[in-house]
Amino acid sequence: MTVSDILRTAAAASKAWPYEEARKLLKRYQQGAPEKGHILFETGYGPSGLPHIGTFNEVLRTTMVRNAYHALSDIPTRLIAFSDDMDGLRKVPDNVPNQAMLTEYLGKPLTQVPDPFEKFESFAHHNNAMLRAFLDRFGFDYEFVSATERYQSGAFDETLKLVLRRYQAIMDIMLPTLRKERQATYSPVLPISPKSGIVLQVPVEVMDADAGLIRFEDEGEIVEQSILSGGAKLQWKVDWAMRWVALGVDYEMAGKDLIDSVTQSSRICRALGGRPPEGFNYEMFLDEKGEKISKSKGNGLSLEQWLTYGPEESLAFYAYREPKKAKQLHMGVIPRAVDEYWQFRGNYPNQPVEQQLGNPVHHIHDGKLPQGSLPVTFGLLLNLVGVMGDATREQVWAYLRNYVADASPEAYPDLDRLIGHALAYHRDFVAPTLRKRAPQANEAAALRKLDEDLAALPADASAEDIQNIVYAIGKDEAFGFAELRDWFKALYQTLLGADQGPRMGSFIALYGIGNSRKLIAEALAA
């Protein structure tokens, strides 16, 4: 068997969620490629605001399913990032300039709203450019599709006529899901007012489905207008279904908050004679209090924040793990995600193919892992920076050379990146929380013993030898620690000013025996 055959056989049985999702598409087209000749993946984006961490997660996870499908099938695939940029501006975002100006354009399609940043021809064009730059930064393979362009070019016209022909069936699906007062004004079709240019939320009457003609009231006047070539857009659940049919979407995932929307859009898709895409509903991120993350509240983490304190692959690792489980997204999860990513990456080369396919790094890198290793953990790096205080990158490298013989940015470029993240994380998040306490009597006695034993060691003593000394002191009944972890906690709180910390043998070897003895002296003098 070739490597490709071995991979395909393993992928067909793998329990990793991207392969489970990809097998839905195998089942969807058991007889081979669809008529259009490819499998179409879609992600959706509302450009009423700047792209955020949720946008990244959806494109990343969809890309992982797409890559998994490539391992199972030779049928070509495409991924489109669809921008719903014909949507009306419903409210002015808090985080943009020229808010008074934007207020004058409420209700108008986003591509008709001036750019408050004064860089692009419209607010939607600005946000679409941000989206493309955002996706390009991560190297995603996608095609950008604009709703405005598709509506105005007539690309959706045939499916829009179909919406008018099945108008009553769509109303029968949607009306039972709405409140009474909403039912009175609901229409699947939102005409663009010929007077104001606003996307109107008014009842409409279908006049001629084949010609795309509808009738509605606009500022007291009865208007007859075509919905084709940009004369109207659809309510978003109907729009979603229309898009699936018009584009032939085979796979699209959505957040758990959209489960009802997926259900209704799927029913509308079937009413239009189409087949809803495969997909699954992922759980939402929570902040450290367990509350749902909200853009307007500003709780949780932004993409920019994560990438200030951790590398891109650590975020991808966090997004990959357990997508159907609600996870907290706050500053404290970053160091663990960094170290777990590297732990899984280190395990990967020696794993059998079945285990490799379940390893998150396989999906992060599509099986093509970059070269490189990490001689120290990110957690250890953070502790080193913590005791160094206001350190520079060069000073951190100087310490690392005591611990790793060939330590240099050239030999370890990944570590060099992590030093930058560690310095930023310590400066903004750790330093304000560090509070060293004075040792209690038994702890002070144990620290004096540790200092004495370290003094007897050679300067280049191994981390293992130092760790054995630390263990022996913690287990010595003379110092009265009920459990070994009480000793470790005392070390962290008195030497590092934190409740948690590194493997002390590794830390002392990295920081240096002489420097570590100074830390002990400071703690004993407190």
Side-chain angles (χ1 to χ4, degrees):
M1 290 176 79
T2 66
V3 172
S4 177
D5 290 335
I6 293 168
L7 179 65
R8 184 160 290 184
T9 301
S14 176
K15 288 185 168 60
W17 69 260
Y19 289 113
E20 291 184 336
E21 291 301 300
R23 288 197 291 270
K24 294 179 184 176
L25 291 165
L26 279 187
K27 196 172 178 183
R28 185 179 178 94
Y29 294 114
Q30 294 181 52
Q31 306 307 313
E35 203 174 307
K36 62 183 181 287
H38 62 270
I39 302 294
L40 186 65
F41 293 82
E42 180 181 62
T43 63
Y45 167 70
S48 56
L50 304 177
H52 54 88
I53 207 160
T55 313
F56 167 83
N57 280 332
E58 194 161 305
V59 180
L60 174 81
R61 287 167 172 164
T62 303
T63 297
M64 288 175 171
V65 177
R66 185 186 182 196
N67 291 339
Y69 182 76
H70 291 161
L72 291 165
S73 172
D74 298 320
I75 297 173
T77 67
R78 292 169 58 209
L79 168 61
I80 61 174
F82 191 94
S83 172
D84 192 12
D85 55 17
M86 205 166 155
D87 203 12
L89 178 66
R90 290 172 200 153
K91 69 172 196 171
V92 177
D94 297 333
N95 57 348
V96 299
N98 293 314
Q99 300 209 349
M101 176 275 289
L102 285 178
T103 305
E104 298 172 26
Y105 290 86
L106 285 170
K108 292 198 175 182
L110 291 162
T111 40
Q112 299 301 314
V113 176
D115 177 16
F117 298 93
E118 300 178 350
K119 294 179 182 177
F120 294 86
E121 59 187 280
S122 77
F123 190 32
H125 283 82
H126 175 274
N127 290 339
N128 287 341
M130 294 297 101
L131 173 69
R132 290 197 294 272
F134 178 87
L135 298 181
D136 292 343
R137 171 178 181 176
F138 296 99
F140 288 122
D141 174 28
Y142 70 98
E143 301 164 43
F144 175 78
V145 178
S146 156
T148 301
E149 185 278 321
R150 289 301 166 108
Y151 270 104
Q152 292 182 350
S153 70
F156 285 158
D157 282 358
E158 288 309 309
T159 319
L160 290 172
K161 291 176 189 176
L162 198 54
V163 168
L164 294 186
R165 291 189 198 109
R166 308 286 163 81
Y167 193 85
Q168 191 54 50
I170 293 170
M171 291 289 278
D172 291 345
I173 291 167
M174 288 304 302
L175 289 181
T177 70
L178 304 171
R179 296 189 308 273
K180 264 231 163 77
E181 58 270 24
R182 183 81 177 96
Q183 289 178 355
T185 60
Y186 179 82
S187 166
V189 178
L190 306 175
I192 310 293
S193 167
K195 294 180 179 180
S196 65
I198 285 174
V199 181
L200 298 175
Q201 300 256 4
V202 293
V204 308
E205 182 185 352
V206 179
M207 302 303 295
D208 184 340
D210 292 332
L213 285 176
I214 59 169
R215 180 187 289 164
F216 57 94
E217 186 178 323
D218 183 11
E219 295 181 14
E221 183 184 334
I222 300 300
V223 177
E224 209 169 279
Q225 180 173 301
S226 170
I227 71 167
L228 307 180
S229 302
K233 82 172 294 286
L234 300 180
Q235 287 277 9
W236 92 266
K237 290 173 190 174
V238 186
D239 184 275
W240 209 9
M242 181 277 296
R243 195 194 310 166
W244 290 343
V245 174
L247 300 173
V249 177
D250 294 303
Y251 189 91
E252 182 161 6
M253 59 177 65
K256 186 182 176 184
D257 56 334
L258 296 182
I259 287 177
D260 289 343
S261 301
V262 171
T263 301
Q264 289 145 24
S265 295
S266 296
R267 292 182 65 197
I268 294 167
C269 179
R270 291 187 190 97
L272 296 174
R275 184 180 182 186
E278 310 300 326
F280 79 107
N281 297 101
Y282 52 83
E283 258 289 3
M284 313 310 288
F285 282 132
L286 308 173
D287 66 12
E288 57 188 321
K289 294 177 184 173
E291 295 176 1
K292 184 181 166 183
I293 284 174
S294 157
K295 278 190 286 182
S296 57
K297 274 193 202 172
N299 58 336
L301 276 185
S302 71
L303 187 85
E304 291 72 24
Q305 283 176 309
W306 187 297
L307 297 181
T308 299
Y309 307 118
E312 293 160 8
E313 56 268 23
S314 65
L315 175 56
F317 177 88
Y318 195 71
Y320 172 85
R321 304 291 297 277
E322 302 177 302
K324 291 194 174 187
K325 180 181 176 184
K327 291 186 291 189
Q328 291 184 320
L329 186 65
H330 55 82
M331 213 72 77
V333 305
I334 297 176
R336 185 174 175 184
V338 174
D339 278 336
E340 286 189 344
Y341 162 80
W342 278 98
Q343 183 184 341
F344 278 90
R345 181 163 150 182
N347 292 341
Y348 186 84
N350 299 317
Q351 290 177 323
V353 66
E354 294 79 10
Q355 284 187 326
Q356 286 183 335
L357 298 194
N359 188 323
V361 300
H362 178 86
H363 301 277
I364 293 166
H365 300 292
D366 192 20
K368 306 173 194 73
L369 268 68
Q371 295 295 308
S373 61
L374 209 59
V376 296
T377 66
F378 189 55
L380 193 55
L381 201 56
L382 280 172
N383 286 116
L384 173 63
V385 170
V387 294
M388 289 177 70
D390 191 15
T392 64
R393 188 184 294 260
E394 291 70 27
Q395 287 170 327
V396 176
W397 274 114
Y399 273 96
L400 288 168
R401 285 185 196 102
N402 296 330
Y403 187 70
V404 183
D406 59 342
S408 71
E410 295 73 31
Y412 295 101
D414 290 308
L415 180 56
D416 192 50
R417 279 197 304 152
L418 284 185
I419 290 172
H421 292 306
L423 289 168
Y425 191 89
H426 173 77
R427 178 193 67 224
D428 298 341
F429 187 64
V430 178
T433 68
L434 292 180
R435 299 285 183 275
K436 291 183 184 179
R437 67 167 176 83
Q440 295 172 7
N442 69 315
E443 295 168 345
L447 285 171
R448 281 191 287 272
K449 172 63 175 165
L450 177 59
D451 180 63
E452 180 187 315
D453 288 351
L454 289 177
L457 287 176
D460 61 349
S462 72
E464 205 55 48
D465 287 344
I466 298 169
Q467 187 71 12
N468 289 337
I469 287 171
V470 175
Y471 267 125
I473 293 170
K475 290 177 180 176
D476 190 333
E477 291 179 4
F479 299 111
F481 293 110
E483 293 186 50
L484 197 55
R485 67 182 175 190
D486 296 331
W487 165 227
F488 289 131
K489 194 170 183 180
L491 288 168
Y492 301 147
Q493 291 177 345
T494 61
L495 302 184
L496 305 179
D499 289 331
Q500 296 178 319
R503 197 167 186 267
M504 287 307 296
S506 300
F507 172 75
I508 292 169
L510 173 59
Y511 193 49
I513 287 175
N515 287 318
S516 299
R517 290 187 67 205
K518 285 178 190 172
L519 275 184
I520 294 170
E522 288 169 10
L524 290 171

